[in-house]
Amino acid sequence: MISAMVGDLTKVEGVEYICNAANGIGPMGGGVAAAIRRAGGRVIEEEAIRVCQAQDPQPGDLYVTGAGSLPFRGVIHLVTMKQPAGATSYEIVRSCLERLVAHCREHGIKKVALPALGTGVGRLDKARVARLFREVLAPVEDVEFVVVDIDESFIRMVDSY
């Protein structure tokens, strides 16, 4: 199940986890990551760095941290690039989405919010990413995915495919 809404990912209500468009080394310096760090505290970034040092996640992987002062069970960091502001691809975004579905099922997560992966510093085409979101997430019946972004055009694209 997939729905989409314009808004602030850190203020979504009724979800268990939010997702971060992450790098594989942990710093949360820009875009969605910075918004999550500002809203939930540096403790999220500090934990992300520790987890990355221990696990060395690669693009397409995910890792989980606490949510700091945010009202969620945690933050699922979807690794869209290894280095901050590095390269990404549609294949990496697809892998992140597929791993997110598997992680939610494995851990009994029923509702999660996520941003427009790869469309900021990753510079991927928003229409292609919106189609990927629908293709991978819409057929899932046991988890609800709420796509949240400040870009109204991306939200309309997710809703229209």
Side-chain angles (χ1 to χ4, degrees):
M1 292 180 279
I2 186 171
S3 61
M5 62 182 277
V6 175
D8 181 338
L9 183 69
T10 66
K11 295 181 177 163
V12 175
E13 295 181 2
V15 300
E16 298 168 76
Y17 287 82
I18 59 170
C19 296
N20 176 29
N23 60 64
I25 61 173
M28 299 172 68
V32 170
I36 292 171
R37 184 195 72 233
R38 282 191 302 272
R42 283 214 176 268
V43 64
I44 302 170
E45 180 179 55
E46 291 163 0
E47 185 179 357
I49 292 168
R50 284 194 307 275
V51 170
C52 287
Q53 288 170 343
Q55 296 179 5
D56 190 29
Q58 299 302 307
D61 292 342
L62 65 76
Y63 62 93
V64 181
T65 66
S69 62
L70 292 170
F72 309 110
R73 289 175 51 196
V75 176
I76 300 170
H77 301 263
L78 302 171
V79 182
T80 57
M81 57 193 60
K82 185 62 180 174
Q83 297 295 322
T88 191
S89 70
Y90 301 103
E91 294 76 24
I92 290 169
V93 170
R94 176 184 290 282
S95 178
C96 286
L97 295 173
E98 289 170 347
R99 295 219 175 151
L100 176 61
V101 171
H103 180 82
C104 289
R105 286 177 167 160
E106 182 180 334
H107 296 279
I109 299 167
K110 296 298 178 200
K111 192 169 184 181
V112 63
L114 68 159
L117 300 175
T119 63
V121 297
R123 294 189 207 96
L124 297 180
D125 178 73
K126 291 179 181 187
R128 283 184 67 182
V129 172
R131 281 193 298 274
L132 263 177
F133 273 48
R134 298 264 351 148
E135 190 177 306
V136 176
L137 303 178
V140 177
E141 295 181 1
D142 54 335
V143 182
E144 185 177 347
F145 299 96
V146 181
V147 181
V148 182
D149 204 86
I150 57 172
D151 181 348
E152 290 183 40
S153 66
F154 180 77
I155 296 304
R156 280 195 304 276
M157 285 183 252
V158 171
D159 277 338
S160 68
Y161 288 115

